[in-house]
Amino acid sequence: MTYEEVIVEARKHLGRLCKACPVCDGRACGNMIPGPGSKGRGELAVRNYKAWQKLCVCMDTICENRPVDMSLDFLGKRFKYPIFAAPIGAVNIHFGDRYDDMQYNDIMVSACAKAGIAAFTGDGVLPAVMDYATQAIAKNGGIGIPTIKPWDIGTIRKKAEFVKRSGSFAVAMDIDAAGLPFLKNSQPPAGSKTVEELRSIINEIGKPMILKGIMTVKGAEKAVEAGASAIVVSNHGGRVLDQCQSTADVLEDIAKAVNGRIAVLVDGGIRSGIDVFKALALGADGVLICRPFAVAAFGAAEAGVDCYINKLAFELEDTMAMCGAHSLSGITRDMVAYTRE
Ligand SMILES: Cc1cc2nc3c(=O)[nH]c(=O)nc-3n(C[C@H](O)[C@H](O)[C@H](O)COP(=O)(O)O)c2cc1C
């Protein structure tokens, strides 16, 4: 099965909101929320995608001819590729009825773990979402990252109990989620957290914390101060605040400022293994990809997800070999350049 075939199959199962476009560039879904679109004018997912396309890779094949190692050491675990499936919440509302959050997380966690990578799982208002997601992670030997929304502390504590039981190697919080239209004035309440609040949450949960939704150097410094083990440079795919910069535009400065103190992941418009290479060249340790993974799962469940992972790996391997990088640490800034077009 090719990824093109997976996309064709997905179109039969997706609702009317996602078109499973040949390239998932944010144009067709625009500002559709509910749906996989972006908030406000609906242009930020497009900006995220376009920003990676402005970067070119710099070919250099005068180098040793030996196999490429794409493995990533991250928070005490070794992964086959520097790629994670990003979290999705309320998948049926945004993509269609084929799966609820429980079924979706089950497919993603298991398919990713089998392929040697890990999936972040989404959170929902219903406690069952975190319960099932963490059960899926437990079944897969702790290879998966439950992502808790920035609820009030009482709700976070309840979710953290599920997380602790899952044996997950890490936990995440999408600290930017309060901007989601459906979380405004929701019950339980969700909202921003101070450095002190985050520090005590991180201590209480007792697992490496990945803070997702960092878009400034200042935000990254606060994440380090709070005791996070990693950040995800992310604008939530354009779903929490309109007219932000693209993640590709802010990544380099943030990665430089963090300077290896904690790990830096990035998401937003990364679609191919070549885009993954570009993100690593700008200083990321790894990437998250969201919407195309959902399309892959809607097309062919675990087989679709596996097919997309193989496609990404093939493209990354090819790009590394053609640019003379034999390991992830061999991917350097001079291997990408902005086009003058
Ligand atoms: C329908 C939908 C639901 C999402 N739900 C969550 C969520 O529950 N938690 C979260 O941290 N991010 C969520 N995200 C954001 C993604 O994890 C990711 O940060 C974003 O989509 C950027 O990646 P992409 O451009 O590859 O889609 C969601 C995104 C979409 C499109």
Side-chain angles (χ1 to χ4, degrees):
M1 184 178 252
T2 65
Y3 187 62
E4 286 68 29
E5 287 164 345
V6 173
I7 289 183
V8 170
E9 200 52 34
R11 291 194 189 116
K12 299 178 194 162
H13 301 287
L14 284 158
R16 63 191 168 79
L17 301 166
C18 175
K19 309 285 175 234
C21 302
V23 177
C24 175
D25 60 4
R27 282 188 304 159
C29 50
N31 66 354
M32 281 194 286
I33 303 180
S38 312
K39 193 172 168 179
R41 298 186 307 182
E43 290 168 7
L44 189 47
V46 180
R47 178 176 292 161
N48 279 339
Y49 170 78
K50 278 190 180 162
W52 298 111
Q53 305 318 307
K54 282 191 286 177
L55 256 187
C56 295
V57 291
C58 305
M59 185 172 73
D60 174 12
T61 49
I62 302 186
C63 61
E64 274 180 83
N65 184 6
R66 60 182 166 89
V68 156
D69 174 8
M70 292 179 276
S71 65
L72 169 73
D73 289 318
F74 179 68
L75 304 182
K77 296 275 173 205
R78 170 157 288 203
F79 296 98
K80 207 164 166 195
Y81 314 118
I83 299 166
F84 300 89
I88 289 193
V91 72
N92 54 333
I93 295 173
H94 302 301
F95 285 96
D97 288 335
R98 186 169 203 194
Y99 307 119
D100 61 23
D101 281 350
M102 281 68 108
Q103 294 163 317
Y104 182 79
N105 284 332
D106 219 34
I107 290 170
M108 293 307 298
V109 169
S110 154
C112 288
K114 279 185 201 144
I117 65 169
F120 285 69
T121 57
D123 192 2
V125 176
L126 291 178
V129 175
M130 185 60 75
D131 185 5
Y132 277 75
T134 47
Q135 283 184 40
I137 292 170
K139 265 192 288 179
N140 286 279
I143 300 303
I145 303 157
T147 309
I148 306 178
K149 295 232 171 291
W151 310 110
D152 62 287
I153 185 67
T155 310
I156 290 176
R157 284 196 177 118
K158 284 186 201 144
K159 306 260 177 182
E161 283 312 310
F162 291 121
V163 171
K164 285 179 197 164
R165 267 181 272 148
S166 74
S168 71
F169 72 98
V171 60
M173 179 172 284
D174 47 339
I175 193 66
D176 57 353
L180 287 169
F182 79 92
L183 277 190
K184 293 273 172 213
N185 309 316
S186 74
Q187 271 312 318
S192 49
K193 301 270 173 276
T194 63
V195 167
E196 290 68 34
E197 285 169 329
L198 284 173
R199 190 181 296 124
S200 85
I201 291 166
I202 293 170
N203 286 340
E204 237 182 85
I205 299 181
K207 281 183 190 285
M209 168 66 81
I210 305 167
L211 282 179
K212 177 170 178 288
I214 304 296
M215 283 297 289
T216 59
V217 167
K218 210 163 71 178
E221 289 296 348
K222 288 189 230 176
V224 173
E225 210 187 318
S229 301
I231 54 171
V232 186
V233 174
S234 172
N235 52 33
H236 218 107
R239 295 169 68 82
V240 292
L241 180 64
D242 195 8
Q243 302 195 35
C244 289
Q245 285 173 284
S246 70
T247 49
D249 279 344
V250 298
L251 170 63
E252 192 170 11
D253 283 350
I254 293 177
K256 267 192 199 145
V258 168
N259 194 22
R261 285 176 291 166
I262 60 174
V264 176
L265 307 177
V266 63
D267 74 15
I270 295 166
R271 298 294 173 255
S272 67
I274 305 185
D275 296 339
V276 177
F277 181 92
K278 294 173 190 175
L280 268 56
L282 291 188
D285 296 293
V287 309
L288 277 62
I289 300 177
C290 178
R291 293 168 176 100
F293 269 116
V295 171
F298 272 73
E302 285 197 29
V305 175
D306 190 56
C307 174
Y308 184 50
I309 295 170
N310 288 334
K311 175 182 174 298
L312 292 167
F314 174 80
E315 292 162 346
L316 176 61
E317 183 180 34
D318 188 40
T319 313
M320 287 174 70
M322 292 302 289
C323 294
H326 294 95
S327 64
L328 300 186
S329 61
I331 302 176
T332 49
R333 179 63 180 84
D334 57 312
M335 292 178 180
V336 291
Y338 284 97
T339 170
R340 289 204 189 93
E341 271 162 22

